[in-house]
Amino acid sequence: MIRFAPASLCLAAALALAPVSALAQQARLTVTGEGSASAVPDMATVSLGVSAQNAEAGVAMDEASRVAAEILSRLDALGIAARDRQTSDIGLQPVWARSDNEDPRITGYEASNQLTVRVRDLATLGDVLASVTEGGANRLAGLSFGLQEPGPVMDAARRNAVADAMARARVLAEAAGVTLGPIVTIAEGGSYEAPSPKMDMARVMSAPVAAGEQSLSASVTVVFALGDAAPE
């Protein structure tokens, strides 16, 4: 048996759906806002290591391992926690000799051990570099600065991005002669950390280190509803 809903219920349902339908057809404005925030870095990341050559591969590996163990021991003495140092690469490759009259030939092997170290107390950075160099590190590949707790700085960048989107929307709505309605949707776009400059490690060993500022950036896409024409 088929039953029909009372006319009063159908009318109520139509009235309930009307605002949703009207909202779906309402004019909208989409803007993208960008923002950034900066803070003084409180951490440095150093890439360092050792390479050793010998006619025998095993001997070269043993020497590289011995120096790597000495570097780790020195980092222990300096209070660098285990979580702040990580082996990033271990390698072994032949050393070739080339001449005009002979085919290339292997004359030995080069072993390498690369380590990435985070220094959370920038005041000790010079001491760390000097100690590992004295311990046998002969590869210093780079230095970058960062933030141990980037969250608050990132939140500030997001707030600035939203404020930028709001300001852009107001200008566009005013220029178009319409009123700016409520926010319909808001979505975060990409966020990134501005790369800190890499520094020549030889200069770091002989000169004061300037950490400068670390900048974080964010973007948001905001969709606004648009109202009627703005009163003149």
Side-chain angles (χ1 to χ4, degrees):
M1 182 176 63
I2 301 176
R3 295 182 178 180
F4 295 94
S8 59
L9 293 180
C10 294
L11 178 60
L15 291 175
L17 292 174
V20 176
S21 177
L23 181 62
Q25 298 176 1
Q26 189 175 16
R28 296 181 178 182
L29 170 66
T30 301
V31 297
T32 298
E34 298 179 349
S36 63
S38 300
V40 176
D42 57 4
M43 179 178 68
T45 301
V46 185
S47 180
L48 57 90
V50 57
S51 64
Q53 290 188 8
N54 194 278
E56 298 183 16
V59 176
M61 284 294 295
D62 288 345
E63 175 62 15
S65 298
R66 182 193 67 77
V67 176
E70 173 64 19
I71 292 172
L72 290 174
S73 177
R74 287 173 175 262
L75 292 175
D76 281 334
L78 290 166
I80 304 296
R83 68 189 178 105
D84 288 330
R85 65 265 184 106
Q86 183 178 44
T87 298
S88 54
D89 183 66
I90 295 177
L92 178 67
Q93 60 185 14
V95 177
W96 295 87
R98 293 177 173 83
S99 64
D100 294 337
N101 301 323
E102 298 179 358
D103 291 334
R105 59 189 179 87
I106 296 175
T107 59
Y109 297 87
E110 181 181 34
S112 61
N113 194 313
Q114 198 76 14
L115 189 68
T116 300
V117 180
R118 286 192 295 263
V119 181
R120 297 182 183 272
D121 183 0
L122 291 182
T124 67
L125 179 57
D127 293 337
V128 171
L129 296 176
S131 181
V132 297
T133 302
E134 292 170 0
N138 55 16
R139 286 190 174 183
L140 297 171
L143 167 67
S144 62
F145 294 100
L147 301 170
Q148 298 184 51
E149 297 293 340
V153 181
M154 194 70 244
D155 287 345
R158 293 185 179 105
R159 292 188 185 95
N160 292 336
V162 172
D164 181 53
M166 298 289 290
R168 294 187 187 203
R170 293 189 193 99
V171 170
L172 292 172
E174 180 184 355
V178 296
T179 58
L180 189 64
I183 292 176
V184 178
T185 64
I186 182 170
E188 184 175 9
S191 59
Y192 65 92
E193 177 178 340
S196 59
K198 300 293 183 181
M199 301 189 68
D200 184 335
M201 299 304 294
R203 295 183 62 185
V204 170
M205 296 296 294
S206 61
V209 176
E213 283 191 339
Q214 191 73 31
S215 180
L216 303 181
S217 297
S219 67
V220 294
T221 299
V222 185
V223 178
F224 295 86
L226 291 179
D228 298 329
E232 297 182 358

